[in-house]
Amino acid sequence: MAIGLFILAVLIQLAMVLTIFLLALSRVTGSIVALVTIIVTAIISPWSLILGVPIALICLVLLIDPIRQSLITKPVYKALGGAMPSMSDTEREALDAGTSWWEKELFMGAPNWEAFAEYPYPELSEEEQSFIDNEVETLCAMLDEWKIQHKDKELSPEAWRFIKANGFLGLIIPKEFGGLAFSSYAQSRVMSKIASRSPTAAVTCMVPNSLGPGELLMHYGTEEQKQHWLPGLANGDEIPCFGLTGPEAGSDAGAIPDTGVVCYGIHKGEQVLGLRMNFSKRWITLAPVATVVGLAFKMHDPEGLLGDLEKTDYGITCALVPASHQGVIIGPRHNPIGSPFMNGTVDGKDVFIPLDYIIGGVENAGRGWRMLMECLGVGRGISLPALSTSASEMTYLSVGAFAKVREQFKISVGKFEGVQDATSRMASNTYMLEAFRHLVTCGLNQGGTPSVMTAMAKYYATETMRSVVNDGMDVVGGRAVQMGPRNFLAVPYQAIPVSITVEGANILTRSLMIFGQGAMRCHPYLFDELQLLQSEDKKKATQEFDTLFFKHLGYTFNRGAKAFVAGYVGGSNKAPSFADGFSRPYYKHINRLSAGFALTADMALGLLAGDLKRKEMLSGRLADIHSHLFISTAILQFYENGSKSDAERLHAEVALQNSLYTIQEAFQSFFDNFPNRLAARLVSFVTFPSGRIFTPPSDELKRRLGDTFMEDFEANPFRDYLKTVIYYNTEEDDVTGRMEFAYQTLRGIEPLWQKFKKAEHKDSFEGLSFEDHVVYASQNGDITEEEAEVLIQYNAIRFDSLLTDVFDKNLLKAQDRPNPHSIENAVHQLTNYAQIKSEAQTRNGIVADTKAASDDANIPTNTEQQTGGANPNHGYEDDGDAEMVAEQDTVKESRTQTDFDDSNPDEQALDHRHRDAESYLNERMSHNHSTDNHSTDSTKGATASDTVASFDKIDSAKGTEDLTGANNHTKQAHMTGDERHDDLNHKDSDSDIRDRIDDSRSDKRNG
């Protein structure tokens, strides 16, 4: 009995301690509750005092101020003060710069899901959507990146004029100064669409809206400076650049050697107080064409001319100097890894500028670093993530099309599991990037300067893009390796190092910035404690530190208790109000991991203190945890506002599993390498008591997503959505449109093509060439003449889409690539192999079993625009095969599958960028068969010469088709922007689905 009471009393005491921590009771309240509990448990069992007495002593120490401060506060203050390295003014400004947003909730271990549910999902205004549909669309149509990179080495004069005249350089400038005042989300969408066509143009437009002086002027400039500069920046009369980095200062931009010394000098014929400047800047984008240069330099006043004799070094300062100013030297261009955006040098020696060139005037002298960290940090969350998202989305579309069109070993390459391992990763990563973009711009739209979030966006967007493009290169292989105007992957692949390097090198960003700044901006007490540790007034600082330190301890124990409970029962069930059966378990995981992260981060900060600054690998792992918690919530928000289709859920599921697994492995690697092994094992046990709980996506999930990756429209609404955010076209002579045209053509005739190829691979047809096989099948009545033409036409399109470029011997000019399978050349591919073989068999008395071959080769024809199981006339069986013609109602088949009257090719061809593949082929066939349609029976007696004549008819029809296309181009050219947009929306084969996606997202937001 006594033992039982003792155990009960001890359990009550332990439960009391856990409850105090879980409820986050204050030092005083918690101590009183603990003392009362000890007294009660002592009555139950006096032996419980074995545990109760130590707890009671701790409580008394916490309650009695002199004892507490003497035994705990002062020793801790002294120890931490000695462990923390001294902090320069520049470091202090950098750590203090910016605000925090949702990332702070995740850092603190208790996300506020009610607040998360209230975040306004980013949308485009009517003005912003119109700009993207018209001005951006027009600009993209003007751009040819191959020509820009390999011939002109710059944007064309026409493109420059259009960019300046239409406000592309003033997206962020307020309307009262002539700018567009677009939201962060709109800026991201604009940059993404331009980048999908030309990274060179995108970088050109990006810099004035992120790295340029415009942002600094808007927030810190004097009214006079705003009135002088902003209108010109908005209308393109002024081209800005900003000089920060140089030969001696790259990632350590705070160590810039450039100086400005206060002195008197002559400006506009008068002697004024100003700065004698010496600077040497490198890698400055837009410098070669800039009319105004922003400069960051260290300002000194050795003579005290500004009135403060004790202050000689003001620190980093920013000024705005006309490029034509005397002594400013705009140097030659750099060549950034072959991307010919304007990039070069800016130098100056003993350049005198007046003090009013300082951005914000003399009052802002020395505030330059904080200004840069806050304002330029915002741009880091918009421009480069937008370019990275765009590159990934174009890779998704192009490689998905290639994976379906390209066949090896008798099937599409996208069907191979090894390929699907890569394509499923590409699909989920692209989905993640689009989701990431939405949540980051959501935070930026709400104002503030969340520097930690934007650092996350820059690093993980560019690194994920690198993974997507590299996977795409692996899948496409030789088609992507050979350079030329046909190569749709070389441009983003070549530009990867630029994105990785600029606006904060990625290694530095991950290993120092994300967690380093995150701890300062997101931790509720750390930055204030650090300030107190370096205070000159130690007595006052110790008193304030006493309060903060014990609040910090209570916070740490609370997160530890939550992590401990979550480790056994799972995370908190708290979730946004819109959570459903799919997403709710993921919110529970995030709650658990967030609490574990808060505890782990506090352990690292408490035990390593200043050494954590040098433990960059550990800091990088903490950055991975924090960032992927943010990314997971972004995926869930994007999914909630999406179509919630099975295909989109599959993208989200794989992306979420990847993030959770990454978080888990970062935790484990952190614990495995933490110097204090006892603390690491303890926290590891608290956060993961049962060991690893997450696994990477299963092979089955990857296979399913790999299959979905090659689908479109209802089968993959996410792919269809991507067409609305990039420059999408299906022009067969365009670098990206060529592959998409082949893909959409295949989708229209897929049952016919697959059945024919299956029969072909079974040697059901006689002949040496594809054209021989088509003729043979047509002569045997296995396919109609119309179907023969469809097969010939698609084979030509397919072959052309897979061709790589060839050049002259000096690699100066790409040569034309003749297509041996084109309509014009198809007749030349015919051989007399079948006739020779037949005659030889006759001479030798061999009777060929043609019936079996014929039966095996019968092919279902295409009906309307349905494919796969959606069309009941295809007779798909359980194994995905199609019924043989003999097994189907051939009368019904003939009637439904040879009816081409439903399409309207003349109407659908009006849009010069999107040509419905099936209608295009039907148009050709209608010209060829308007006066002479042959039934299946009538083709049985056809000869090879009949088919040759048919090919000749196709050839002669080409001129008519080209004329029709020319007329359509003429009509399109005379349309206004709105008319062209309305016409596209009316006639695009995929516009209805896009509208449904948009309606679905809008309904979910408004509902």
Side-chain angles (χ1 to χ4, degrees):
M1 182 66 179
I3 295 176
L5 291 174
F6 169 72
I7 294 173
L8 175 63
V10 170
L11 290 176
I12 292 173
Q13 290 176 356
L14 293 175
M16 170 269 298
V17 173
L18 183 62
T19 302
I20 289 173
F21 292 158
L22 284 174
L23 296 178
L25 299 181
S26 68
R27 171 175 54 84
V28 175
T29 303
S31 297
I32 293 173
V33 169
L35 289 172
V36 171
T37 303
I38 290 168
I39 294 171
V40 172
T41 53
I43 296 172
I44 296 174
S45 173
W47 287 103
S48 65
L49 292 175
I50 295 174
L51 177 61
V53 169
I55 296 176
L57 289 175
I58 293 173
C59 291
L60 291 174
V61 169
L62 294 177
L63 287 172
I64 302 172
D65 291 351
I67 296 176
R68 180 185 70 254
Q69 293 178 9
S70 177
L71 294 179
I72 300 176
T73 305
K74 291 180 180 179
V76 170
Y77 182 86
K78 183 177 181 180
L80 290 177
M84 289 292 181
S86 60
M87 187 166 51
S88 66
D89 291 340
T90 300
E91 287 180 303
R92 184 177 289 105
E93 286 186 354
L95 292 174
D96 193 32
T99 58
S100 57
W101 189 60
W102 177 242
E103 71 279 10
K104 182 172 184 177
E105 295 285 338
L106 296 167
F107 188 100
M108 292 173 60
N112 184 345
W113 295 114
E114 292 181 5
F116 182 77
E118 294 299 320
Y119 290 151
Y121 190 72
E123 295 178 300
L124 297 172
S125 67
E126 290 185 10
E127 180 186 5
E128 292 165 344
Q129 184 67 64
S130 175
F131 186 82
I132 290 173
D133 290 341
N134 293 283
E135 284 84 351
V136 178
E137 183 84 2
T138 302
L139 174 61
C140 288
M142 299 168 66
L143 302 170
D144 180 344
E145 189 67 5
W146 172 261
K147 188 170 183 289
I148 292 169
Q149 288 206 9
H150 298 277
K151 294 181 181 178
D152 298 341
K153 304 296 183 181
E154 62 178 328
L155 296 179
S156 67
E158 294 78 14
W160 267 113
R161 284 194 293 270
F162 190 84
I163 287 170
K164 293 178 181 180
N166 288 275
F168 283 88
L169 305 184
L171 299 180
I172 64 173
I173 295 175
K175 291 188 176 182
E176 58 263 33
F177 298 106
L180 296 176
F182 279 1
S183 68
S184 297
Y185 176 61
Q187 295 172 49
S188 176
R189 287 285 302 273
V190 169
M191 295 307 161
S192 275
K193 188 163 186 174
I194 299 173
S196 69
R197 193 63 175 169
S198 167
T200 302
V203 171
T204 301
C205 297
M206 173 187 85
V207 169
N209 294 292
S210 60
L211 293 174
E215 181 90 13
L216 294 172
L217 284 171
M218 286 161 49
H219 288 86
Y220 301 104
T222 64
E223 191 60 32
E224 182 181 358
Q225 289 172 337
K226 293 177 183 178
Q227 294 293 340
H228 178 78
W229 290 112
L230 290 180
L233 291 171
N235 63 28
D237 290 342
E238 302 287 356
I239 305 295
C241 70
F242 195 90
L244 176 59
T245 55
E248 301 294 335
S251 295
D252 185 13
I256 54 177
D258 311 288
T259 59
V261 179
V262 179
C263 64
Y264 283 96
I266 303 299
H267 179 67
K268 294 183 179 180
E270 298 182 3
Q271 187 179 46
V272 297
L273 191 61
L275 296 166
R276 183 72 59 190
M277 305 279 293
N278 287 280
F279 51 88
S280 180
K281 303 294 186 180
R282 296 293 180 270
W283 319 305
I284 311 304
T285 300
L286 292 187
V289 294
T291 62
V292 57
V293 180
L295 289 172
F297 58 94
K298 289 183 176 177
M299 181 171 162
H300 305 276
D301 183 16
E303 299 179 73
L305 297 177
L306 295 180
D308 189 346
L309 295 176
E310 295 182 358
K311 188 174 183 179
T312 59
D313 296 328
Y314 280 77
I316 294 177
T317 304
C318 295
L320 208 55
V321 182
S324 58
H325 192 79
Q326 184 177 0
V328 175
I329 301 171
I330 301 295
R333 289 177 64 181
H334 292 307
N335 185 5
I337 206 162
S339 296
F341 59 85
M342 289 295 172
N343 188 270
T345 65
V346 181
D347 294 279
K349 183 173 178 59
D350 293 330
V351 177
F352 181 80
I353 64 171
L355 288 178
D356 58 12
Y357 278 15
I358 296 174
I359 297 177
V362 179
E363 293 78 8
N364 275 345
R367 296 188 62 202
W369 192 242
R370 185 185 183 95
M371 292 160 59
L372 292 171
M373 290 298 99
E374 290 185 345
C375 292
L376 302 188
V378 173
R380 185 163 53 227
I382 298 174
S383 299
L384 283 173
L387 269 62
S388 299
T389 302
S390 172
S392 299
E393 290 171 345
M394 288 302 299
T395 303
Y396 184 114
L397 292 170
S398 298
V399 176
F402 175 89
K404 192 172 187 71
V405 170
R406 175 65 163 163
E407 296 179 1
Q408 293 287 277
F409 305 102
K410 305 180 182 180
I411 60 173
S412 295
V413 297
K415 284 289 187 180
F416 291 99
E417 284 196 8
V419 172
Q420 289 178 335
D421 191 32
T423 57
S424 63
R425 190 164 52 242
M426 294 172 64
S428 60
N429 279 339
T430 304
Y431 188 86
M432 180 273 277
L433 283 174
E434 186 63 30
F436 201 11
R437 180 238 293 273
H438 275 77
L439 187 56
V440 169
T441 53
C442 173
L444 294 174
N445 280 348
Q446 292 188 290
T449 55
S451 54
V452 176
M453 179 186 74
T454 56
M456 291 177 180
K458 192 275 176 180
Y459 175 81
Y460 291 94
T462 54
E463 288 294 340
T464 303
M465 175 270 294
R466 170 159 39 186
S467 172
V468 171
V469 175
N470 280 337
D471 280 333
M473 292 291 292
D474 288 348
V475 173
V476 179
R479 176 69 173 83
V481 169
Q482 298 299 332
M483 292 291 290
R486 290 171 170 266
N487 194 319
F488 53 81
L489 270 184
V491 168
Y493 181 78
Q494 195 171 358
I496 287 173
V498 175
S499 298
I500 298 297
T501 303
V502 301
E503 294 194 38
N506 274 12
I507 290 176
L508 170 75
T509 301
R510 174 179 177 266
S511 59
L512 285 178
M513 289 183 63
I514 294 175
F515 183 75
Q517 281 193 315
M520 294 297 120
R521 299 308 315 159
C522 299
H523 198 286
Y525 308 110
L526 186 61
F527 184 74
D528 292 335
E529 289 173 327
L530 192 58
Q531 296 286 77
L532 291 173
L533 289 173
Q534 300 201 357
S535 173
E536 297 294 332
D537 188 348
K538 298 298 182 183
K539 183 177 181 180
K540 182 180 178 182
T542 303
Q543 294 294 326
E544 295 179 8
F545 182 79
D546 180 62
T547 302
L548 272 181
F549 178 68
F550 284 98
K551 285 184 178 180
H552 188 161
L553 278 182
Y555 164 83
T556 301
F557 287 128
N558 172 259
R559 272 35 179 190
K562 287 185 175 182
F564 178 77
V565 172
Y568 287 95
V569 301
S572 166
N573 288 319
K574 291 181 180 179
S577 56
F578 53 68
D580 58 16
F582 167 74
S583 62
R584 191 170 296 279
Y586 290 104
Y587 287 113
K588 190 171 184 177
H589 291 320
I590 291 170
N591 288 331
R592 173 182 180 172
L593 294 170
S594 179
F597 174 64
L599 175 63
T600 305
D602 254 17
M603 174 192 72
L605 292 166
L607 296 180
L608 295 182
D611 283 343
L612 187 57
K613 183 178 180 180
R614 292 177 286 275
K615 299 290 186 181
E616 295 180 13
M617 288 186 239
L618 293 178
S619 178
R621 294 180 183 110
L622 293 172
D624 290 340
I625 297 169
H626 193 191
S627 300
H628 275 278
L629 284 170
F630 188 94
I631 287 169
S632 298
T633 60
I635 295 168
L636 289 166
Q637 185 203 53
F638 187 68
Y639 168 79
E640 173 60 30
N641 289 275
S643 67
K644 289 193 173 182
S645 63
D646 291 342
E648 186 162 353
R649 185 179 298 112
L650 186 59
H651 283 79
E653 185 175 3
V654 174
L656 285 165
Q657 289 192 17
N658 280 328
S659 280
L660 295 179
Y661 183 73
T662 299
I663 292 170
Q664 172 185 267
E665 295 308 295
F667 266 118
Q668 297 298 334
S669 295
F670 179 88
F671 295 141
D672 289 343
N673 292 277
F674 194 72
N676 189 318
R677 301 306 306 141
L678 178 61
R681 290 191 183 97
L682 176 61
V683 176
S684 176
F685 173 75
V686 169
T687 52
F688 291 92
S690 60
R692 286 175 167 85
I693 57 175
F694 301 112
T695 59
S698 66
D699 290 353
E700 175 59 24
L701 275 178
K702 291 179 182 178
R703 284 192 293 267
R704 288 168 53 200
L705 187 53
D707 287 338
T708 302
F709 180 72
M710 296 184 290
E711 297 297 335
D712 203 358
F713 301 108
E714 291 96 338
N716 186 4
F718 179 64
R719 186 184 200 276
D720 207 51
Y721 165 79
L722 294 183
K723 301 173 194 174
T724 68
V725 295
I726 52 90
Y727 182 77
Y728 176 78
N729 78 97
T730 57
E731 281 293 314
E732 54 185 317
D733 291 327
D734 182 83
V735 59
T736 57
R738 179 181 287 108
M739 183 56 69
E740 185 70 8
F741 180 66
Y743 169 77
Q744 295 295 349
T745 303
L746 174 59
R747 289 189 70 259
I749 67 164
E750 189 171 3
L752 172 66
W753 176 258
Q754 294 299 337
K755 191 63 183 179
F756 182 84
K757 294 299 290 183
K758 180 179 179 181
E760 186 180 48
H761 290 314
K762 288 185 176 181
D763 294 326
S764 300
F765 309 129
E766 296 289 0
L768 299 179
S769 66
F770 176 85
E771 288 76 8
D772 282 346
H773 296 166
V774 172
V775 169
Y776 187 92
S778 177
Q779 290 174 338
N780 282 345
D782 300 323
I783 57 174
T784 65
E785 186 176 337
E786 291 89 343
E787 292 165 345
E789 293 176 16
V790 167
L791 291 169
I792 293 293
Q793 178 65 32
Y794 169 67
N795 190 54
I797 294 169
R798 177 198 64 81
F799 188 83
D800 180 72
S801 73
L802 300 175
L803 286 175
T804 54
D805 292 284
V806 294
F807 293 80
D808 61 277
K809 65 179 181 178
N810 295 315
L811 298 178
L812 297 177
K813 184 177 180 181
Q815 307 294 313
D816 291 334
R817 293 303 314 266
N819 187 346
H821 299 288
S822 66
I823 293 295
E824 303 91 303
N825 297 327
V827 65
H828 304 301
Q829 302 304 313
L830 292 173
T831 71
N832 61 352
Y833 176 85
Q835 181 180 354
I836 294 172
K837 181 177 178 180
S838 177
E839 290 173 355
Q841 289 176 335
T842 300
R843 286 196 305 269
N844 292 286
I846 301 174
V847 178
D849 185 8
T850 58
K851 184 179 185 307
S854 176
D855 288 344
D856 193 42
N858 277 314
I859 304 165
T861 53
N862 189 29
T863 70
E864 300 177 357
Q865 295 192 21
Q866 293 177 306
T867 62
N871 186 351
N873 296 316
H874 290 159
Y876 265 57
E877 298 172 346
D878 291 339
D879 62 355
D881 199 359
E883 293 177 355
M884 299 298 179
V885 172
E887 300 175 293
Q888 302 177 14
D889 183 343
T890 55
V891 175
K892 181 181 178 183
E893 286 286 294
S894 178
R895 182 172 64 252
T896 60
Q897 297 184 30
T898 59
D899 184 5
F900 298 95
D901 295 335
D902 290 341
S903 64
N904 191 341
D906 292 334
E907 180 178 346
Q908 292 180 350
L910 288 178
D911 180 14
H912 67 290
R913 288 198 307 104
H914 186 95
R915 307 172 66 190
D916 182 84
E918 184 178 1
S919 298
Y920 173 74
L921 297 177
N922 291 346
E923 180 188 12
R924 285 208 150 199
M925 287 182 279
S926 68
H927 286 301
N928 294 337
H929 300 283
S930 57
T931 59
D932 184 19
N933 282 317
H934 297 283
S935 68
T936 301
D937 291 338
S938 67
T939 62
K940 287 186 177 180
T943 63
S945 60
D946 293 329
T947 307
V948 170
S950 175
F951 290 158
D952 290 338
K953 285 195 294 180
I954 298 170
D955 194 18
S956 65
K958 185 175 187 298
T960 306
E961 187 275 329
D962 289 343
L963 180 61
T964 302
N967 290 336
N968 289 334
H969 276 274
T970 302
K971 177 175 179 179
Q972 190 73 22
H974 286 84
M975 289 181 177
T976 66
D978 291 339
E979 288 171 340
R980 184 168 62 252
H981 181 58
D982 292 341
D983 186 67
L984 182 146
N985 285 339
H986 177 67
K987 299 174 182 68
D988 255 12
S989 63
D990 63 352
S991 62
D992 290 340
I993 294 168
R994 288 193 227 170
D995 291 341
R996 287 200 292 273
I997 293 172
D998 294 339
D999 290 343
S1000 172
R1001 291 182 181 269
S1002 178
D1003 290 344
K1004 292 180 185 301
R1005 289 191 294 273
N1006 297 332

